[in-house]
Each structure stands twice: as C-alpha cells, then as structure tokens.
Amino acid sequence: MLIDSHAHLNDDRLYSIIDEVVEGYRARGVGAVINAAYDIESSRRGKILADKYEDCYFTVGLHPHDARLATAQIYEEMKALAAFPKAVAWGETGLDYHYDLSLREVQRREFVTQIEIADSLKLPVIIHLREAYEDMNRLLTENKQYLNNGVLLHCYSGSGESARDIYNRLDCYYSFGGAITFAKHKNEVLKYIPQDRIMLETDCPYMTPVPFRGKTNTPALLYLIRDKMAELLRLTPDEIEKITTDNAKRFYKRIK
Ligand SMILES: [Zn+2]
Ligand SMILES: [Zn+2]
C-alpha cells in the first residue's frame, strides 16, 4: 500500500466532495492519508475526517503563512485535538520567506513555540520550508533539544548539500510530491538523501503531478509520484512503495 504522508483533504475543494475523493484514492492503492493542518479549522476537520474514515490520520498546527494568527487559545485547542490517537504529528509549521504572509520574526517565534509544544506531546514535527534555509538551520540547531520525536521536511526544495550537511545530521525525513515530476525540478537532491528517510506526498489539492497539471490534485495521483521516484532512483515502483511506506510508518508511529 501507498501512504500519502502529507495531504489536505481538510481543504474546501476536497472536503466538499470527500466521499468521492476517498473512494478514488482507495481504488489507486493508497492505504493511509495524513491530513496536515495549517490552522485551527483544518486541525478540527482533520479530526472529523479521522473519525469518519479509518485510513485518515491528522496533524494539528499553524502554517507560517498564518503565524500572525497565533493565540494561546488556538494552541490549547490544538493540544486537546492532538491527544486523540489518530493525531500523528504537529505541523505544518515552519518558515516561508517566499510569500512572507506573516512577519519573519513572527514566523520564527511561532515555529519555536510549536516545536516546544510538539516535544511536550512527544509528537514528530512536519516542517514547511521555503527560501529560509539559513534561519531554519539556525533554529533547528539552537533548538535541537525539542527534536526528539522526528522531523519531516515536507515538499523539500533545498539543495542536496544542505540535506547532506545539515538535515541528515539532524536525522530528518524528507517527503517529495508532484514537484519531482516537473521538468524544472532539481531532482539530483534525491542522491543526497538516505533511502530510509524518503516519503511520498501529494500536498493535494496543490502540486498536481504531470500529466494532470491544471487539475485539482488528490491522493489518487500519488502513484505518479511513486513511479517518477522509481525512475529517478532506478528502482521499481514496488520497491519505492515498500521503502516509503516503511519510512512513513516508522516516522508517524501511530499509523496502523
Ligand atoms: Zn507546506
Ligand atoms: Zn501542505
């Protein structure tokens, strides 16, 4: 079975047609979907989906875009949701200096706050990182004591050298999505990452893989990312499926 390690069935576009989406990915061999949160409403929806579908799991957390919306009350509600057995990680949190939708200092402050909370709950952390590699390296190094339960860099777009020199040292996992099917993606990064640290994700409804660009993404298209990764690593699709599923189960300890 395939595991979609980072999806947003909690997004309106998919949530509004959820039965159809679930049926679609089950028919394509996806056996578990992690619905990553980005704010309080998506955290709540993740829990609702996990209650309804046995193969749905969820995370809680506040995206760097929305770091400016952080309040103690939001974090308290997220902590309460994280106590449910199908809550498998904290995130997505991180830094995004491409869009800068929250002030950078606010993004950094809320990222550190969230990794402290995740550590107190013994949950792994899902990191969203874009154009903020130096600050992320510094924050992870300075706060290493909060990273005892696993770190996943989702939709990793950093360099192979950064992976080798920094993130591998911090024992990070990496998930790859539709971007690896794009012609301009720098796929050599995969050579720097140990095979027991890679996972597959769709990040749906975003990042639709080739040849379905322009359409809404769903976990039913995860097989295209598996097949592309197999081609890039010169392995079979079955081998990639086994490797990435084993990795996802090791990282998200609560997945059955
Ligand atoms: Zn993200
Ligand atoms: Zn995402």
Side-chain angles (χ1 to χ4, degrees), residues 133 137 153 156 158-172 174 176 188-194:
Y133 298 97
N137 298 344
L153 293 156
Y156 182 68
S159 69
E161 286 79 8
S162 298
R164 183 192 61 201
D165 298 341
I166 297 140
Y167 303 116
N168 288 351
R169 202 157 32 79
L170 293 165
D171 203 20
C172 292
Y174 306 79
F176 294 92
E188 66 267 24
V189 64
L190 279 167
K191 287 189 296 210
Y192 292 86
I193 296 176

Side-chain angles (χ1 to χ4, degrees), residues 30-93:
V30 176
V33 173
I34 316 305
N35 286 305
Y38 40 90
D39 61 6
I40 187 62
E41 184 54 28
S42 57
S43 303
R44 291 177 188 138
R45 280 187 178 183
K47 159 81 168 52
I48 292 169
L49 290 167
D51 285 342
K52 189 167 175 199
Y53 302 103
E54 62 175 346
D55 48 0
C56 282
Y57 297 82
F58 72 107
T59 76
V60 298
L62 194 60
H63 197 283
H65 290 343
D66 288 329
R68 67 197 142 79
L69 304 177
T71 62
Q73 198 188 350
I74 281 177
Y75 288 143
E76 283 311 309
E77 187 177 342
M78 286 178 178
K79 280 195 231 175
L81 288 167
F84 287 91
K86 290 178 90 181
V88 292
W90 193 283
E92 48 186 303
T93 177

Side-chain angles (χ1 to χ4, degrees), residues 17-36:
I17 51 164
I18 189 64
D19 286 330
E20 189 185 311
V21 170
V22 171
E23 206 177 302
Y25 73 67
R26 285 178 179 170
R28 284 287 184 174
V30 176
V33 173
I34 316 305
N35 286 305

Side-chain angles (χ1 to χ4, degrees), residues 219-232:
L221 299 180
L222 191 63
Y223 75 97
L224 291 165
I225 298 155
R226 174 199 63 196
D227 292 356
K228 181 67 185 186
M229 192 178 277
E231 183 194 315
L232 294 167

Side-chain angles (χ1 to χ4, degrees), residues 71 87 94 119 134 142-143 145 156 193 198 206 228 245 256:
T71 62
D119 184 59
E134 271 182 36
E142 283 172 9
N143 295 284
Q145 73 270 27
Y156 182 68
I193 296 176
I198 50 172
Y206 313 103
K228 181 67 185 186
T245 294
K256 296 253 170 14

Side-chain angles (χ1 to χ4, degrees), residues 168-229:
N168 288 351
R169 202 157 32 79
L170 293 165
D171 203 20
C172 292
Y173 285 74
Y174 306 79
S175 55
F176 294 92
I180 67 167
T181 69
F182 306 167
K184 67 178 167 76
H185 190 263
K186 298 192 225 58
N187 287 315
E188 66 267 24
V189 64
L190 279 167
K191 287 189 296 210
Y192 292 86
I193 296 176
Q195 275 181 15
D196 62 354
R197 290 293 178 270
I198 50 172
M199 291 183 220
L200 302 174
E201 67 165 74
T202 57
D203 204 14
C204 61
Y206 313 103
M207 302 297 275
T208 309
V210 172
F212 295 107
R213 301 292 296 147
K215 299 219 170 87
T216 302
N217 196 10
T218 85
L221 299 180
L222 191 63
Y223 75 97
L224 291 165
I225 298 155
R226 174 199 63 196
D227 292 356
K228 181 67 185 186
M229 192 178 277

